[in-house]
């Protein structure tokens, strides 16, 4: 992907984690409305269930390849490179119909290059959740195969002993958005909201991330999916504004024009076009 104007390709707004050792939930997750389902072999799986989880994920992926087609993009979060499960997890993703691989504790572009070498057709989603990961953002974002950065906010707060998920993480969120843009990646994914039964809080978190330039958010429960999707989709008012901008620009014949008392120039038209594309697909678009 490049920095050229819109490719028109939709990106996932909601990325729902499912524990890898609970295969009964996989199909339900794919039908939850989430744009992407992340089969989790890492944090959601206790050490004594790692091999079982890998087996369950592998069996489900094999069955899916022969006819079970879910309604979501399917990714796998493998274990970190410094764990004893990493190599086997990575091997599972080779030829298994996995569309994306999420690498936790992403700190070393060399690890990403090694994965891209053996899995050239799989999109890589580095999960940046440590101080070292933030310090090496540009290298990580530029590694081959990387499609999208993901911010692991909870682990990151623990690593830096930060209390709070708001302005305390403003600098780091902005760095991830900037690195993504400079590398020509899809808009990054923000971390989870720990609230499950508080739609107002989840929506506020999603809208905050969207205003900062993120294109999606991690979800830890199906209840969060619809709220997150809504937070990253254009509102009716935004769609109405976009249509009026496009109409006014088309009717102007190249002459200066205003909408709602504000000048319409090329960047405004591009923004309006992106809003309308998102409204048609239900998802934000790549830049």
């Amino acid at each position: 992907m490049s920095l050229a104007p819109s490719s028109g390709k939709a990106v996932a707004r909601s990325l729902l984690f499912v524990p890898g050792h609970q295969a009964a939930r996989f199909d339900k997750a794919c039908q939850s409305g989430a744009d992407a389902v992340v089969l989790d072999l890492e944090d959601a799986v206790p050490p004594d269930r790692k091999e079982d989880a890998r087996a369950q994920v592998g069996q489900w992926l094999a069955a899916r390849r022969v006819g079970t087609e879910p309604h979501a993009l399917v990714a796998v979060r493998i274990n970190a490179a410094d764990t004893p499960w990493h190599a086997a997890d990575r091997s599972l993703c080779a030829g298994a119909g996995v569309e994306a691989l999420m690498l936790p504790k992403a700190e070393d572009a060399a690890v990403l290059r090694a994965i891209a070498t053996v899995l050239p057709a799989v999109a890589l989603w580095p999960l940046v959740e440590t101080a070292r990961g933030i310090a090496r953002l540009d290298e990580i974002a530029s590694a081959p195969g990387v499609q999208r950065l993901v911010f692991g906010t909870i682990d990151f707060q623990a690593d830096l002993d930060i209390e709070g998920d708001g302005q305390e993480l403003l600098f780091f969120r902005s760095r991830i958005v900037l690195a993504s843009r400079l590398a020509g990646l899809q808009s990054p994914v923000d971390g989870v909201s720990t609230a499950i039964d508080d739609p107002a809080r989840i929506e506020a978190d999603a809208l905050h991330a969207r205003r900062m330039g993120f294109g999606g958010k991690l979800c830890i429960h199906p209840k969060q999916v619809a709220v997150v999707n809504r937070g990253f989709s254009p509102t009716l008012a935004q769609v109405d504004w976009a249509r009026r901008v496009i109409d006014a620009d088309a009717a102007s014949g190249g002459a200066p024009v205003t909408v709602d008392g504000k000048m319409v120039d090329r960047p405004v038209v591009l923004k309006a076009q992106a809003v309308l594309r998102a409204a048609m697909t239900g998802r934000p678009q790549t830049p």
Side-chain angles (χ1 to χ4, degrees), residues 178-264:
L178 179 61
S180 297
R181 180 57 178 155
L182 291 175
L185 305 180
Q186 291 183 0
S187 299
V189 182
D190 194 29
V192 303
S193 291
T194 54
I196 293 177
D197 293 310
D198 188 350
R201 172 60 187 275
I202 298 167
E203 184 171 21
D205 288 347
L207 290 173
H208 177 256
R210 183 184 178 196
R211 287 195 301 271
M212 292 204 64
F214 284 81
K217 193 167 181 65
L218 298 175
C219 298
I220 53 175
H221 195 281
K223 290 182 180 179
Q224 298 177 323
V225 168
V227 182
V228 168
N229 284 345
R230 184 167 64 248
F232 284 94
S233 299
T235 65
L236 293 177
Q238 289 170 329
V239 172
D240 174 70
W241 167 84
R243 286 173 176 158
R244 288 187 290 112
V245 165
I246 297 301
D247 290 345
D249 179 65
S252 70
V257 64
T258 61
V259 171
D260 297 336
K262 298 179 180 179
M263 184 182 70
V264 172

Side-chain angles (χ1 to χ4, degrees), residues 1 9 11 73 99-100 123-126 141 143-149 184-187:
M1 301 179 66
K9 184 177 181 180
V11 300
L73 181 154
E99 290 147 289
L124 302 184
W125 297 346
V146 172
Q147 182 188 67
R148 192 169 201 190
L149 299 179
L185 305 180
Q186 291 183 0
S187 299

Side-chain angles (χ1 to χ4, degrees), residues 3 29 45 71 101 109 111 114 122 131 133 169 173 205 213 224 229 243 272:
L3 291 175
V45 181
H71 303 293
L101 182 153
V111 173
V122 178
L169 298 183
R173 282 190 167 103
D205 288 347
Q224 298 177 323
N229 284 345
R243 286 173 176 158

